[in-house]
Amino acid sequence: MNILITGCNGQLGNEMQLLEKVNPQHTYFNTDVAELDITDPAAIETFVNENQIDGIVNCAAYTAVDKAEDNQELCRLLNTVAPGYLAAAVDKRGGWLIQVSTDYVFDGTNHTPYTENEPTCPNSVYGTTKLGGEKAAQQACSRTMIVRTAWLYSTFGNNFVKTMIRLGQEKPELGVIFDQIGTPTYARDLAVALFAAINQGVVPGIYHFSNEGVISWYDFTKAIHRIAGISSCHVRPLHTAEYPTPANRPHYSVLDKTKIKQTYHIEVPYWEESLKECILQLIKRKD
């Protein structure tokens, strides 16, 4: 197959490129904004047709959750409108689309893991525009697979893990929110799951993917510091109210992964094992 990867310079896009090397049966077109403007429907259609694209993995998005509150139009363009353009172009060729979405489509009032068929209720611009992207993609292409994920981190770009390591090395004390509960996702593991779908055949529908387990941001930070060998920084728990942000965040966003595990026969790693792997890769990179 000829597969278009958008947002190739992001966390997930970079991980997808690494895994392309061990999935050489397909031809990949890795693009970011310099190679393809996903807000330009004519440019997308030309690219898809000229390169005979069979499938698209859309890793591109506006992900600055707090900035989104003041940049609603740009956020809507990238997260809602663009997925519809991509879906429409690949649909004309009879192809498929994998649209990466987020736990922010829920308001976080659950106390048990969210399944794919539960009603959505985003309470931020980011969450609202990502839900809009899900719907736009599904309406434009019946062969769309939506994959919602959460708390994404990797060795690439800016993310919570790298920030907590840096701050832990720089500061004697940190305050981290303890009353927001979810599950971290190592972007490498998400990329492995997406390749399982690609290689087995994309089954349309909505799926949830994160690592296994449940944790708070506070406990996650404590684990990051322990694994990274940081002992000089005192981490104290904060209530959400003590750390106000422009965008609302779900207090509980644990995702039920039963559907994706059963459909594609995959095992999902426990969050701490994946965190250890990521930090090991970061240490190796420094060496």
Side-chain angles (χ1 to χ4, degrees), residues 7-230:
C8 73
N9 293 336
Q11 294 193 82
L12 180 57
N14 269 296
E15 296 289 2
M16 293 293 289
Q17 289 185 76
L18 289 178
L19 288 179
E20 288 168 10
K21 296 166 186 173
V22 293
N23 290 273
Q25 65 270 40
H26 309 302
T27 301
Y28 304 95
F29 297 84
N30 297 299
T31 69
D32 215 288
V33 64
E35 295 80 27
L36 177 63
D37 180 1
I38 62 169
T39 67
D40 182 342
I44 293 170
E45 191 155 341
T46 299
F47 189 99
V48 166
N49 290 332
E50 286 183 353
N51 295 292
Q52 299 183 316
I53 298 298
D54 300 299
I56 300 174
V57 183
N58 183 27
C59 304
Y62 187 105
T63 57
V65 175
D66 288 325
K67 289 181 180 177
E69 297 295 313
D70 294 322
N71 292 280
Q72 296 189 25
E73 194 49 44
L74 177 59
C75 193
R76 192 185 73 83
L77 186 60
L78 286 169
N79 291 352
T80 299
V81 178
Y85 291 158
L86 291 165
V90 80
D91 184 68
K92 289 178 182 176
R93 289 188 47 79
W96 49 263
L97 171 74
I98 296 177
Q99 169 67 15
V100 181
S101 192
T102 175
D103 58 322
Y104 280 66
V105 300
F106 300 111
D107 63 6
T109 56
N110 259 28
H111 298 289
T112 55
Y114 282 96
T115 62
E116 292 83 355
N117 56 8
E118 289 191 57
T120 51
C121 185
N123 60 0
S124 66
V125 170
Y126 172 68
T128 300
T129 59
K130 289 296 287 183
L131 179 60
E134 292 185 8
K135 293 176 178 177
Q138 288 182 307
Q139 287 169 3
C141 178
S142 61
R143 294 167 295 279
T144 292
M145 176 183 180
I146 306 292
V147 184
R148 294 173 182 152
T149 191
W151 296 25
L152 200 68
Y153 70 92
S154 71
T155 60
F156 300 100
N158 297 314
N159 56 68
F160 188 82
V161 171
K162 291 168 79 172
T163 298
M164 290 302 107
I165 290 174
R166 177 176 57 80
L167 293 177
Q169 292 167 340
E170 293 174 355
K171 295 180 177 294
E173 183 175 284
L174 279 177
V176 182
I177 291 169
F178 79 94
D179 57 359
Q180 291 176 17
I181 307 297
T183 310
T185 307
Y186 185 25
R188 177 79 50 87
D189 296 333
L190 175 56
V192 168
L194 297 186
F195 270 103
I198 291 167
N199 293 330
Q200 293 175 38
V202 170
V203 180
I206 298 174
Y207 298 82
H208 288 170
F209 185 92
S210 66
N211 282 118
E212 297 284 19
V214 178
I215 199 167
S216 73
W217 289 111
Y218 166 77
D219 293 302
F220 190 34
T221 303
K222 294 285 282 186
I224 292 166
H225 285 188
R226 173 170 47 80
I227 294 166
I230 298 168

